[in-house]
Amino acid sequence: MNSAALEKKLPATVTVKPARGKLDYSLDIPGSKSIANRVLLLAGMASGTSVVAGIPDGDDSRAALRCLRDLGVPVEHLGNDSVRIHGSGHVVRPASLDIGSAGTVGRFLPGLLASMESGEWSLESTDQLAGRPILPLLEGLRHWGADIAVPEGRSFPMRIRATGLRGGEVAVSAAASSQFASGLLMAAPYCRAEASVRITDLDREERYIDTTVEVMRHFGATVRTERVGDDVVATVSPGGYVGNDIHVEADLNAALNFLLLPILTGGRGIVTNVSPETRQPGYKLLDLLTRLGVVIKAGPGGMSVSWLGGTVPGGFDIDMRAMSEMAMSLAVLAVFADGPITMTNLGHIRNHETDRLAAVSTIMAAFGVRTEEGPDWIRIHPADRSSLKTPTIDSLNDHRVVMAFSLLGLAANGVTITNAGAVSKTFPGFFDKLRQAGAEVVDG
């Protein structure tokens, strides 16, 4: 995780040329940022030592590791994607922490710090993250007795004065993000009494809460979950965490971009380190691709996707709540369908790195693609591949913009992306993998 190497890999501007033919490739994908940051923070708080492998070399995971070091947690680098973390035993030093744009760190770390018996910390973030919501998390933590202050209407800077958390029952809405519930759950084993978190407005296909509970259990927490009507109730016993070794699985959201490529360009692609047993939410998109006639095979050698040709069936609506991180990439696929595709239940992605619904509309227009947009939905109309423009677009500092619209340029007539380094948030090696897949990518 060398910052000089990162800068070398990520020029400010890149041009993705049109594909010269059908692609046929096999590659691996870095670990999931979402899982890695849960793992790193719990390993840092735990008693004992943990070896964590498969850490993605992205800005968000760097932020998690930086915060652990600033808190006085010893971290040894063992290789390109592995560290040994000597857990703090839930006692860390006071510090001023820079979390950058790492939303997972900003939602998961406050509860872990507030649950300590004493100490004071400040968390600083980028303006972009400071403008994203966090109030449901803070209300839940304050209900347990946390002393946390933020400026009115902002999420950061944040000041935390720890006096411990009492536990008990609390409710939190997952309408804007399930990360609020995960932040409460991750802190719950350090409450003085049993803690019960009722999660409302949770999509039934939501998998991130499952991921959080799975990681907590891996580090020794006792968690019981049950569905009560439309809600999920998680009950967590006191006891903290114990160090444990773990390998972070590949990021399915990143992998799906490469599993989509053969459909866009023809040919076949294999991602060698994606498991069909994954609990990551992106698996729902695989179900959709199968329904559209894509041939997907999974086994010990990874997952392969092939496209026998023809037109992608369109003319349908799809609820994207459970796979919203892939909305932009599905929008690209919709350009080549035989009818409009409408993606719904996406209002929450207007508060991500950028307003992603507005971004899709604006960037698609630059390519010459017609869209329609509502408060929580967007409709992509098909376009003739040969008529698509070759625009210069800005990433809007959003890693998903970089990845999705690189695919559209590759599948059509090319694209130039400025501020392309935004992809470093989760996948600094994205363009290297795109080249490995057979794409021509020009720096500058």
Side-chain angles (χ1 to χ4, degrees), residues 109-116 119 121 136-150 158-167 170 183-184 187 191-192:
L109 190 54
L112 292 168
L113 295 175
S115 65
M116 296 186 184
W121 302 270
L137 170 67
L138 300 188
E139 288 177 339
L141 291 173
R142 287 167 178 159
H143 183 79
W144 282 344
D147 182 354
I148 301 178
V150 296
M158 180 184 295
R159 187 267 303 149
I160 301 170
R161 290 194 180 101
T163 56
L165 300 177
R166 57 176 169 259
V170 69
L184 290 168
C191 290
R192 297 189 182 105

PDB file of all heavy atoms in Angstrom, residues 109-116 119 121 136-150 158-167 170 183-184 187 191-192:
ATOM      1  N   LEU A 109     -16.807   3.823  13.397  1.00  0.00           N
ATOM      2  CA  LEU A 109     -15.863   4.142  14.469  1.00  0.00           C
ATOM      3  C   LEU A 109     -16.477   4.918  15.629  1.00  0.00           C
ATOM      4  O   LEU A 109     -16.100   4.681  16.784  1.00  0.00           O
ATOM      5  CB  LEU A 109     -14.675   4.905  13.883  1.00  0.00           C
ATOM      6  CG  LEU A 109     -13.470   5.137  14.796  1.00  0.00           C
ATOM      7  CD1 LEU A 109     -12.960   3.832  15.386  1.00  0.00           C
ATOM      8  CD2 LEU A 109     -12.359   5.864  14.046  1.00  0.00           C
ATOM      9  N   PRO A 110     -17.423   5.854  15.417  1.00  0.00           N
ATOM     10  CA  PRO A 110     -17.939   6.635  16.553  1.00  0.00           C
ATOM     11  C   PRO A 110     -18.477   5.799  17.703  1.00  0.00           C
ATOM     12  O   PRO A 110     -18.175   6.065  18.877  1.00  0.00           O
ATOM     13  CB  PRO A 110     -19.038   7.488  15.915  1.00  0.00           C
ATOM     14  CG  PRO A 110     -18.574   7.690  14.516  1.00  0.00           C
ATOM     15  CD  PRO A 110     -17.952   6.372  14.133  1.00  0.00           C
ATOM     16  N   GLY A 111     -19.266   4.772  17.410  1.00  0.00           N
ATOM     17  CA  GLY A 111     -19.817   3.949  18.480  1.00  0.00           C
ATOM     18  C   GLY A 111     -18.752   3.179  19.229  1.00  0.00           C
ATOM     19  O   GLY A 111     -18.820   3.026  20.456  1.00  0.00           O
ATOM     20  N   LEU A 112     -17.745   2.682  18.503  1.00  0.00           N
ATOM     21  CA  LEU A 112     -16.662   1.953  19.146  1.00  0.00           C
ATOM     22  C   LEU A 112     -15.878   2.849  20.099  1.00  0.00           C
ATOM     23  O   LEU A 112     -15.445   2.412  21.167  1.00  0.00           O
ATOM     24  CB  LEU A 112     -15.736   1.361  18.078  1.00  0.00           C
ATOM     25  CG  LEU A 112     -16.342   0.240  17.228  1.00  0.00           C
ATOM     26  CD1 LEU A 112     -15.460  -0.071  16.031  1.00  0.00           C
ATOM     27  CD2 LEU A 112     -16.575  -1.017  18.066  1.00  0.00           C
ATOM     28  N   LEU A 113     -15.700   4.113  19.725  1.00  0.00           N
ATOM     29  CA  LEU A 113     -15.006   5.049  20.610  1.00  0.00           C
ATOM     30  C   LEU A 113     -15.897   5.479  21.774  1.00  0.00           C
ATOM     31  O   LEU A 113     -15.451   5.526  22.920  1.00  0.00           O
ATOM     32  CB  LEU A 113     -14.545   6.268  19.809  1.00  0.00           C
ATOM     33  CG  LEU A 113     -13.496   6.013  18.727  1.00  0.00           C
ATOM     34  CD1 LEU A 113     -13.206   7.278  17.929  1.00  0.00           C
ATOM     35  CD2 LEU A 113     -12.203   5.458  19.324  1.00  0.00           C
ATOM     36  N   ALA A 114     -17.161   5.796  21.478  1.00  0.00           N
ATOM     37  CA  ALA A 114     -18.068   6.243  22.535  1.00  0.00           C
ATOM     38  C   ALA A 114     -18.306   5.170  23.585  1.00  0.00           C
ATOM     39  O   ALA A 114     -18.645   5.473  24.728  1.00  0.00           O
ATOM     40  CB  ALA A 114     -19.403   6.667  21.923  1.00  0.00           C
ATOM     41  N   SER A 115     -18.108   3.904  23.226  1.00  0.00           N
ATOM     42  CA  SER A 115     -18.358   2.807  24.163  1.00  0.00           C
ATOM     43  C   SER A 115     -17.240   2.629  25.174  1.00  0.00           C
ATOM     44  O   SER A 115     -17.374   1.839  26.117  1.00  0.00           O
ATOM     45  CB  SER A 115     -18.558   1.498  23.394  1.00  0.00           C
ATOM     46  OG  SER A 115     -17.366   1.115  22.723  1.00  0.00           O
ATOM     47  N   MET A 116     -16.131   3.342  25.018  1.00  0.00           N
ATOM     48  CA  MET A 116     -15.032   3.231  25.981  1.00  0.00           C
ATOM     49  C   MET A 116     -15.384   3.966  27.274  1.00  0.00           C
ATOM     50  O   MET A 116     -16.255   4.827  27.304  1.00  0.00           O
ATOM     51  CB  MET A 116     -13.747   3.778  25.369  1.00  0.00           C
ATOM     52  CG  MET A 116     -13.305   2.950  24.174  1.00  0.00           C
ATOM     53  SD  MET A 116     -11.705   3.430  23.523  1.00  0.00           S
ATOM     54  CE  MET A 116     -11.612   2.324  22.100  1.00  0.00           C
ATOM     55  N   GLY A 119     -12.048   8.954  27.538  1.00  0.00           N
ATOM     56  CA  GLY A 119     -11.278   9.374  26.373  1.00  0.00           C
ATOM     57  C   GLY A 119     -12.034  10.406  25.556  1.00  0.00           C
ATOM     58  O   GLY A 119     -13.253  10.547  25.676  1.00  0.00           O
ATOM     59  N   TRP A 121     -12.040  12.203  21.474  1.00  0.00           N
ATOM     60  CA  TRP A 121     -11.531  12.137  20.107  1.00  0.00           C
ATOM     61  C   TRP A 121     -12.272  13.132  19.231  1.00  0.00           C
ATOM     62  O   TRP A 121     -13.433  13.460  19.485  1.00  0.00           O
ATOM     63  CB  TRP A 121     -11.731  10.728  19.533  1.00  0.00           C
ATOM     64  CG  TRP A 121     -11.066   9.668  20.332  1.00  0.00           C
ATOM     65  CD1 TRP A 121      -9.798   9.184  20.194  1.00  0.00           C
ATOM     66  CD2 TRP A 121     -11.623   8.959  21.452  1.00  0.00           C
ATOM     67  NE1 TRP A 121      -9.542   8.231  21.145  1.00  0.00           N
ATOM     68  CE2 TRP A 121     -10.649   8.068  21.933  1.00  0.00           C
ATOM     69  CE3 TRP A 121     -12.867   9.000  22.083  1.00  0.00           C
ATOM     70  CZ2 TRP A 121     -10.859   7.234  23.009  1.00  0.00           C
ATOM     71  CZ3 TRP A 121     -13.093   8.169  23.168  1.00  0.00           C
ATOM     72  CH2 TRP A 121     -12.096   7.294  23.624  1.00  0.00           C
ATOM     73  N   PRO A 136     -29.350   9.385  12.231  1.00  0.00           N
ATOM     74  CA  PRO A 136     -29.919   8.167  12.844  1.00  0.00           C
ATOM     75  C   PRO A 136     -28.922   7.414  13.714  1.00  0.00           C
ATOM     76  O   PRO A 136     -29.291   6.864  14.762  1.00  0.00           O
ATOM     77  CB  PRO A 136     -30.349   7.339  11.630  1.00  0.00           C
ATOM     78  CG  PRO A 136     -30.619   8.346  10.560  1.00  0.00           C
ATOM     79  CD  PRO A 136     -29.575   9.405  10.771  1.00  0.00           C
ATOM     80  N   LEU A 137     -27.665   7.368  13.307  1.00  0.00           N
ATOM     81  CA  LEU A 137     -26.633   6.721  14.121  1.00  0.00           C
ATOM     82  C   LEU A 137     -26.435   7.473  15.429  1.00  0.00           C
ATOM     83  O   LEU A 137     -26.398   6.868  16.507  1.00  0.00           O
ATOM     84  CB  LEU A 137     -25.322   6.648  13.343  1.00  0.00           C
ATOM     85  CG  LEU A 137     -24.093   6.220  14.153  1.00  0.00           C
ATOM     86  CD1 LEU A 137     -24.222   4.772  14.613  1.00  0.00           C
ATOM     87  CD2 LEU A 137     -22.812   6.411  13.342  1.00  0.00           C
ATOM     88  N   LEU A 138     -26.299   8.795  15.341  1.00  0.00           N
ATOM     89  CA  LEU A 138     -26.038   9.594  16.541  1.00  0.00           C
ATOM     90  C   LEU A 138     -27.198   9.497  17.527  1.00  0.00           C
ATOM     91  O   LEU A 138     -26.987   9.402  18.741  1.00  0.00           O
ATOM     92  CB  LEU A 138     -25.780  11.054  16.164  1.00  0.00           C
ATOM     93  CG  LEU A 138     -24.593  11.311  15.229  1.00  0.00           C
ATOM     94  CD1 LEU A 138     -24.336  12.803  15.113  1.00  0.00           C
ATOM     95  CD2 LEU A 138     -23.340  10.587  15.702  1.00  0.00           C
ATOM     96  N   GLU A 139     -28.426   9.507  17.017  1.00  0.00           N
ATOM     97  CA  GLU A 139     -29.582   9.396  17.913  1.00  0.00           C
ATOM     98  C   GLU A 139     -29.572   8.059  18.652  1.00  0.00           C
ATOM     99  O   GLU A 139     -29.876   7.997  19.848  1.00  0.00           O
ATOM    100  CB  GLU A 139     -30.868   9.559  17.106  1.00  0.00           C
ATOM    101  CG  GLU A 139     -31.107  10.988  16.636  1.00  0.00           C
ATOM    102  CD  GLU A 139     -32.356  11.117  15.783  1.00  0.00           C
ATOM    103  OE1 GLU A 139     -32.805  10.078  15.225  1.00  0.00           O
ATOM    104  OE2 GLU A 139     -32.888  12.233  15.666  1.00  0.00           O
ATOM    105  N   GLY A 140     -29.210   6.988  17.936  1.00  0.00           N
ATOM    106  CA  GLY A 140     -29.142   5.688  18.583  1.00  0.00           C
ATOM    107  C   GLY A 140     -28.064   5.625  19.645  1.00  0.00           C
ATOM    108  O   GLY A 140     -28.294   5.110  20.756  1.00  0.00           O
ATOM    109  N   LEU A 141     -26.896   6.141  19.338  1.00  0.00           N
ATOM    110  CA  LEU A 141     -25.798   6.131  20.309  1.00  0.00           C
ATOM    111  C   LEU A 141     -26.117   7.013  21.515  1.00  0.00           C
ATOM    112  O   LEU A 141     -25.826   6.649  22.661  1.00  0.00           O
ATOM    113  CB  LEU A 141     -24.502   6.588  19.638  1.00  0.00           C
ATOM    114  CG  LEU A 141     -23.918   5.626  18.597  1.00  0.00           C
ATOM    115  CD1 LEU A 141     -22.744   6.266  17.877  1.00  0.00           C
ATOM    116  CD2 LEU A 141     -23.484   4.315  19.251  1.00  0.00           C
ATOM    117  N   ARG A 142     -26.730   8.158  21.267  1.00  0.00           N
ATOM    118  CA  ARG A 142     -27.108   9.039  22.383  1.00  0.00           C
ATOM    119  C   ARG A 142     -28.160   8.380  23.275  1.00  0.00           C
ATOM    120  O   ARG A 142     -28.167   8.588  24.492  1.00  0.00           O
ATOM    121  CB  ARG A 142     -27.608  10.374  21.829  1.00  0.00           C
ATOM    122  CG  ARG A 142     -26.489  11.253  21.261  1.00  0.00           C
ATOM    123  CD  ARG A 142     -27.043  12.398  20.440  1.00  0.00           C
ATOM    124  NE  ARG A 142     -25.980  13.266  19.934  1.00  0.00           N
ATOM    125  CZ  ARG A 142     -26.113  14.091  18.888  1.00  0.00           C
ATOM    126  NH1 ARG A 142     -27.285  14.141  18.243  1.00  0.00           N
ATOM    127  NH2 ARG A 142     -25.102  14.839  18.491  1.00  0.00           N
ATOM    128  N   HIS A 143     -29.032   7.593  22.679  1.00  0.00           N
ATOM    129  CA  HIS A 143     -30.022   6.847  23.473  1.00  0.00           C
ATOM    130  C   HIS A 143     -29.320   5.896  24.437  1.00  0.00           C
ATOM    131  O   HIS A 143     -29.838   5.628  25.535  1.00  0.00           O
ATOM    132  CB  HIS A 143     -30.949   6.076  22.533  1.00  0.00           C
ATOM    133  CG  HIS A 143     -32.042   5.337  23.230  1.00  0.00           C
ATOM    134  ND1 HIS A 143     -33.197   5.961  23.682  1.00  0.00           N
ATOM    135  CD2 HIS A 143     -32.163   4.022  23.572  1.00  0.00           C
ATOM    136  CE1 HIS A 143     -33.970   5.061  24.270  1.00  0.00           C
ATOM    137  NE2 HIS A 143     -33.380   3.887  24.216  1.00  0.00           N
ATOM    138  N   TRP A 144     -28.168   5.403  24.044  1.00  0.00           N
ATOM    139  CA  TRP A 144     -27.380   4.533  24.927  1.00  0.00           C
ATOM    140  C   TRP A 144     -26.460   5.327  25.861  1.00  0.00           C
ATOM    141  O   TRP A 144     -25.714   4.737  26.636  1.00  0.00           O
ATOM    142  CB  TRP A 144     -26.521   3.587  24.082  1.00  0.00           C
ATOM    143  CG  TRP A 144     -27.273   2.421  23.513  1.00  0.00           C
ATOM    144  CD1 TRP A 144     -28.498   1.951  23.898  1.00  0.00           C
ATOM    145  CD2 TRP A 144     -26.829   1.561  22.460  1.00  0.00           C
ATOM    146  NE1 TRP A 144     -28.842   0.850  23.152  1.00  0.00           N
ATOM    147  CE2 TRP A 144     -27.842   0.580  22.266  1.00  0.00           C
ATOM    148  CE3 TRP A 144     -25.679   1.513  21.664  1.00  0.00           C
ATOM    149  CZ2 TRP A 144     -27.732  -0.418  21.308  1.00  0.00           C
ATOM    150  CZ3 TRP A 144     -25.572   0.512  20.706  1.00  0.00           C
ATOM    151  CH2 TRP A 144     -26.586  -0.444  20.521  1.00  0.00           C
ATOM    152  N   GLY A 145     -26.491   6.656  25.766  1.00  0.00           N
ATOM    153  CA  GLY A 145     -25.715   7.487  26.687  1.00  0.00           C
ATOM    154  C   GLY A 145     -24.479   8.123  26.108  1.00  0.00           C
ATOM    155  O   GLY A 145     -23.670   8.711  26.847  1.00  0.00           O
ATOM    156  N   ALA A 146     -24.293   8.073  24.799  1.00  0.00           N
ATOM    157  CA  ALA A 146     -23.084   8.637  24.179  1.00  0.00           C
ATOM    158  C   ALA A 146     -23.104  10.160  24.219  1.00  0.00           C
ATOM    159  O   ALA A 146     -24.154  10.791  24.090  1.00  0.00           O
ATOM    160  CB  ALA A 146     -22.967   8.155  22.735  1.00  0.00           C
ATOM    161  N   ASP A 147     -21.934  10.739  24.380  1.00  0.00           N
ATOM    162  CA  ASP A 147     -21.731  12.190  24.335  1.00  0.00           C
ATOM    163  C   ASP A 147     -21.008  12.501  23.016  1.00  0.00           C
ATOM    164  O   ASP A 147     -19.782  12.401  22.925  1.00  0.00           O
ATOM    165  CB  ASP A 147     -20.901  12.645  25.538  1.00  0.00           C
ATOM    166  CG  ASP A 147     -20.686  14.157  25.587  1.00  0.00           C
ATOM    167  OD1 ASP A 147     -21.080  14.845  24.623  1.00  0.00           O
ATOM    168  OD2 ASP A 147     -20.090  14.642  26.567  1.00  0.00           O
ATOM    169  N   ILE A 148     -21.780  12.844  22.004  1.00  0.00           N
ATOM    170  CA  ILE A 148     -21.233  13.093  20.671  1.00  0.00           C
ATOM    171  C   ILE A 148     -21.811  14.398  20.155  1.00  0.00           C
ATOM    172  O   ILE A 148     -23.030  14.616  20.218  1.00  0.00           O
ATOM    173  CB  ILE A 148     -21.578  11.958  19.681  1.00  0.00           C
ATOM    174  CG1 ILE A 148     -21.024  10.625  20.178  1.00  0.00           C
ATOM    175  CG2 ILE A 148     -21.034  12.268  18.294  1.00  0.00           C
ATOM    176  CD1 ILE A 148     -21.358   9.442  19.268  1.00  0.00           C
ATOM    177  N   ALA A 149     -20.958  15.264  19.626  1.00  0.00           N
ATOM    178  CA  ALA A 149     -21.401  16.553  19.110  1.00  0.00           C
ATOM    179  C   ALA A 149     -20.932  16.739  17.671  1.00  0.00           C
ATOM    180  O   ALA A 149     -19.798  16.382  17.330  1.00  0.00           O
ATOM    181  CB  ALA A 149     -20.869  17.683  19.983  1.00  0.00           C
ATOM    182  N   VAL A 150     -21.811  17.271  16.834  1.00  0.00           N
ATOM    183  CA  VAL A 150     -21.475  17.652  15.450  1.00  0.00           C
ATOM    184  C   VAL A 150     -22.102  19.011  15.175  1.00  0.00           C
ATOM    185  O   VAL A 150     -23.066  19.407  15.838  1.00  0.00           O
ATOM    186  CB  VAL A 150     -21.997  16.617  14.424  1.00  0.00           C
ATOM    187  CG1 VAL A 150     -21.309  15.268  14.607  1.00  0.00           C
ATOM    188  CG2 VAL A 150     -23.508  16.464  14.511  1.00  0.00           C
ATOM    189  N   MET A 158     -16.640  15.867  14.135  1.00  0.00           N
ATOM    190  CA  MET A 158     -17.355  15.222  15.230  1.00  0.00           C
ATOM    191  C   MET A 158     -16.462  15.187  16.459  1.00  0.00           C
ATOM    192  O   MET A 158     -15.269  14.917  16.362  1.00  0.00           O
ATOM    193  CB  MET A 158     -17.737  13.791  14.821  1.00  0.00           C
ATOM    194  CG  MET A 158     -18.495  13.015  15.895  1.00  0.00           C
ATOM    195  SD  MET A 158     -18.806  11.286  15.380  1.00  0.00           S
ATOM    196  CE  MET A 158     -19.898  11.530  13.986  1.00  0.00           C
ATOM    197  N   ARG A 159     -17.082  15.466  17.609  1.00  0.00           N
ATOM    198  CA  ARG A 159     -16.350  15.376  18.878  1.00  0.00           C
ATOM    199  C   ARG A 159     -17.005  14.297  19.736  1.00  0.00           C
ATOM    200  O   ARG A 159     -18.213  14.272  19.919  1.00  0.00           O
ATOM    201  CB  ARG A 159     -16.376  16.729  19.606  1.00  0.00           C
ATOM    202  CG  ARG A 159     -15.499  16.792  20.870  1.00  0.00           C
ATOM    203  CD  ARG A 159     -16.279  16.446  22.112  1.00  0.00           C
ATOM    204  NE  ARG A 159     -17.428  17.316  22.277  1.00  0.00           N
ATOM    205  CZ  ARG A 159     -18.573  16.950  22.849  1.00  0.00           C
ATOM    206  NH1 ARG A 159     -18.733  15.702  23.303  1.00  0.00           N
ATOM    207  NH2 ARG A 159     -19.585  17.782  22.978  1.00  0.00           N
ATOM    208  N   ILE A 160     -16.195  13.380  20.256  1.00  0.00           N
ATOM    209  CA  ILE A 160     -16.693  12.268  21.070  1.00  0.00           C
ATOM    210  C   ILE A 160     -16.015  12.314  22.436  1.00  0.00           C
ATOM    211  O   ILE A 160     -14.786  12.331  22.520  1.00  0.00           O
ATOM    212  CB  ILE A 160     -16.401  10.914  20.397  1.00  0.00           C
ATOM    213  CG1 ILE A 160     -17.045  10.841  19.014  1.00  0.00           C
ATOM    214  CG2 ILE A 160     -16.883   9.763  21.282  1.00  0.00           C
ATOM    215  CD1 ILE A 160     -16.610   9.634  18.204  1.00  0.00           C
ATOM    216  N   ARG A 161     -16.829  12.332  23.496  1.00  0.00           N
ATOM    217  CA  ARG A 161     -16.308  12.199  24.867  1.00  0.00           C
ATOM    218  C   ARG A 161     -16.880  10.902  25.428  1.00  0.00           C
ATOM    219  O   ARG A 161     -18.093  10.776  25.612  1.00  0.00           O
ATOM    220  CB  ARG A 161     -16.729  13.389  25.749  1.00  0.00           C
ATOM    221  CG  ARG A 161     -16.045  14.697  25.383  1.00  0.00           C
ATOM    222  CD  ARG A 161     -16.232  15.731  26.495  1.00  0.00           C
ATOM    223  NE  ARG A 161     -15.595  16.992  26.165  1.00  0.00           N
ATOM    224  CZ  ARG A 161     -16.238  18.066  25.700  1.00  0.00           C
ATOM    225  NH1 ARG A 161     -17.563  18.009  25.541  1.00  0.00           N
ATOM    226  NH2 ARG A 161     -15.592  19.175  25.427  1.00  0.00           N
ATOM    227  N   ALA A 162     -16.024   9.942  25.683  1.00  0.00           N
ATOM    228  CA  ALA A 162     -16.481   8.606  26.074  1.00  0.00           C
ATOM    229  C   ALA A 162     -16.757   8.515  27.563  1.00  0.00           C
ATOM    230  O   ALA A 162     -15.943   8.943  28.386  1.00  0.00           O
ATOM    231  CB  ALA A 162     -15.444   7.569  25.682  1.00  0.00           C
ATOM    232  N   THR A 163     -17.916   7.949  27.897  1.00  0.00           N
ATOM    233  CA  THR A 163     -18.246   7.597  29.280  1.00  0.00           C
ATOM    234  C   THR A 163     -18.876   6.209  29.328  1.00  0.00           C
ATOM    235  O   THR A 163     -19.473   5.827  30.331  1.00  0.00           O
ATOM    236  CB  THR A 163     -19.224   8.628  29.895  1.00  0.00           C
ATOM    237  OG1 THR A 163     -20.390   8.710  29.062  1.00  0.00           O
ATOM    238  CG2 THR A 163     -18.572  10.004  29.987  1.00  0.00           C
ATOM    239  N   GLY A 164     -18.772   5.453  28.242  1.00  0.00           N
ATOM    240  CA  GLY A 164     -19.377   4.127  28.166  1.00  0.00           C
ATOM    241  C   GLY A 164     -20.804   4.192  27.640  1.00  0.00           C
ATOM    242  O   GLY A 164     -21.429   5.254  27.607  1.00  0.00           O
ATOM    243  N   LEU A 165     -21.311   3.052  27.205  1.00  0.00           N
ATOM    244  CA  LEU A 165     -22.674   2.947  26.697  1.00  0.00           C
ATOM    245  C   LEU A 165     -23.461   1.971  27.570  1.00  0.00           C
ATOM    246  O   LEU A 165     -22.956   0.911  27.920  1.00  0.00           O
ATOM    247  CB  LEU A 165     -22.673   2.452  25.247  1.00  0.00           C
ATOM    248  CG  LEU A 165     -21.936   3.335  24.219  1.00  0.00           C
ATOM    249  CD1 LEU A 165     -21.965   2.668  22.851  1.00  0.00           C
ATOM    250  CD2 LEU A 165     -22.546   4.729  24.159  1.00  0.00           C
ATOM    251  N   ARG A 166     -24.686   2.340  27.894  1.00  0.00           N
ATOM    252  CA  ARG A 166     -25.447   1.520  28.840  1.00  0.00           C
ATOM    253  C   ARG A 166     -26.141   0.330  28.194  1.00  0.00           C
ATOM    254  O   ARG A 166     -26.461  -0.655  28.866  1.00  0.00           O
ATOM    255  CB  ARG A 166     -26.476   2.375  29.578  1.00  0.00           C
ATOM    256  CG  ARG A 166     -27.465   3.103  28.705  1.00  0.00           C
ATOM    257  CD  ARG A 166     -28.502   3.850  29.543  1.00  0.00           C
ATOM    258  NE  ARG A 166     -29.287   4.762  28.717  1.00  0.00           N
ATOM    259  CZ  ARG A 166     -29.083   6.071  28.638  1.00  0.00           C
ATOM    260  NH1 ARG A 166     -28.115   6.623  29.363  1.00  0.00           N
ATOM    261  NH2 ARG A 166     -29.823   6.832  27.868  1.00  0.00           N
ATOM    262  N   GLY A 167     -26.420   0.391  26.875  1.00  0.00           N
ATOM    263  CA  GLY A 167     -27.148  -0.690  26.223  1.00  0.00           C
ATOM    264  C   GLY A 167     -28.642  -0.524  26.373  1.00  0.00           C
ATOM    265  O   GLY A 167     -29.144   0.565  26.661  1.00  0.00           O
ATOM    266  N   VAL A 170     -33.014  -0.015  21.321  1.00  0.00           N
ATOM    267  CA  VAL A 170     -32.940   1.177  20.485  1.00  0.00           C
ATOM    268  C   VAL A 170     -33.455   0.803  19.103  1.00  0.00           C
ATOM    269  O   VAL A 170     -33.320  -0.350  18.666  1.00  0.00           O
ATOM    270  CB  VAL A 170     -31.493   1.719  20.416  1.00  0.00           C
ATOM    271  CG1 VAL A 170     -30.584   0.776  19.645  1.00  0.00           C
ATOM    272  CG2 VAL A 170     -31.446   3.107  19.790  1.00  0.00           C
ATOM    273  N   GLY A 183     -23.291   0.486  12.545  1.00  0.00           N
ATOM    274  CA  GLY A 183     -22.494   1.228  13.524  1.00  0.00           C
ATOM    275  C   GLY A 183     -22.946   0.959  14.944  1.00  0.00           C
ATOM    276  O   GLY A 183     -22.127   0.840  15.869  1.00  0.00           O
ATOM    277  N   LEU A 184     -24.251   0.861  15.152  1.00  0.00           N
ATOM    278  CA  LEU A 184     -24.774   0.529  16.478  1.00  0.00           C
ATOM    279  C   LEU A 184     -24.430  -0.909  16.858  1.00  0.00           C
ATOM    280  O   LEU A 184     -23.993  -1.189  17.982  1.00  0.00           O
ATOM    281  CB  LEU A 184     -26.283   0.725  16.507  1.00  0.00           C
ATOM    282  CG  LEU A 184     -26.788   2.167  16.450  1.00  0.00           C
ATOM    283  CD1 LEU A 184     -28.282   2.197  16.191  1.00  0.00           C
ATOM    284  CD2 LEU A 184     -26.463   2.906  17.744  1.00  0.00           C
ATOM    285  N   ALA A 187     -20.814  -1.518  17.977  1.00  0.00           N
ATOM    286  CA  ALA A 187     -20.499  -1.004  19.315  1.00  0.00           C
ATOM    287  C   ALA A 187     -21.169  -1.815  20.414  1.00  0.00           C
ATOM    288  O   ALA A 187     -20.723  -1.803  21.570  1.00  0.00           O
ATOM    289  CB  ALA A 187     -20.926   0.456  19.421  1.00  0.00           C
ATOM    290  N   CYS A 191     -21.357  -2.499  25.235  1.00  0.00           N
ATOM    291  CA  CYS A 191     -22.336  -1.911  26.150  1.00  0.00           C
ATOM    292  C   CYS A 191     -22.296  -2.624  27.497  1.00  0.00           C
ATOM    293  O   CYS A 191     -21.946  -3.806  27.578  1.00  0.00           O
ATOM    294  CB  CYS A 191     -23.743  -2.000  25.562  1.00  0.00           C
ATOM    295  SG  CYS A 191     -24.041  -0.924  24.141  1.00  0.00           S
ATOM    296  N   ARG A 192     -22.694  -1.923  28.543  1.00  0.00           N
ATOM    297  CA  ARG A 192     -22.641  -2.507  29.893  1.00  0.00           C
ATOM    298  C   ARG A 192     -23.702  -3.588  30.083  1.00  0.00           C
ATOM    299  O   ARG A 192     -23.537  -4.483  30.912  1.00  0.00           O
ATOM    300  CB  ARG A 192     -22.813  -1.397  30.933  1.00  0.00           C
ATOM    301  CG  ARG A 192     -21.695  -0.357  30.911  1.00  0.00           C
ATOM    302  CD  ARG A 192     -21.792   0.603  32.096  1.00  0.00           C
ATOM    303  NE  ARG A 192     -20.754   1.611  32.030  1.00  0.00           N
ATOM    304  CZ  ARG A 192     -20.957   2.882  31.672  1.00  0.00           C
ATOM    305  NH1 ARG A 192     -22.189   3.278  31.358  1.00  0.00           N
ATOM    306  NH2 ARG A 192     -19.958   3.744  31.629  1.00  0.00           N
TER     307      ARG A 192
END
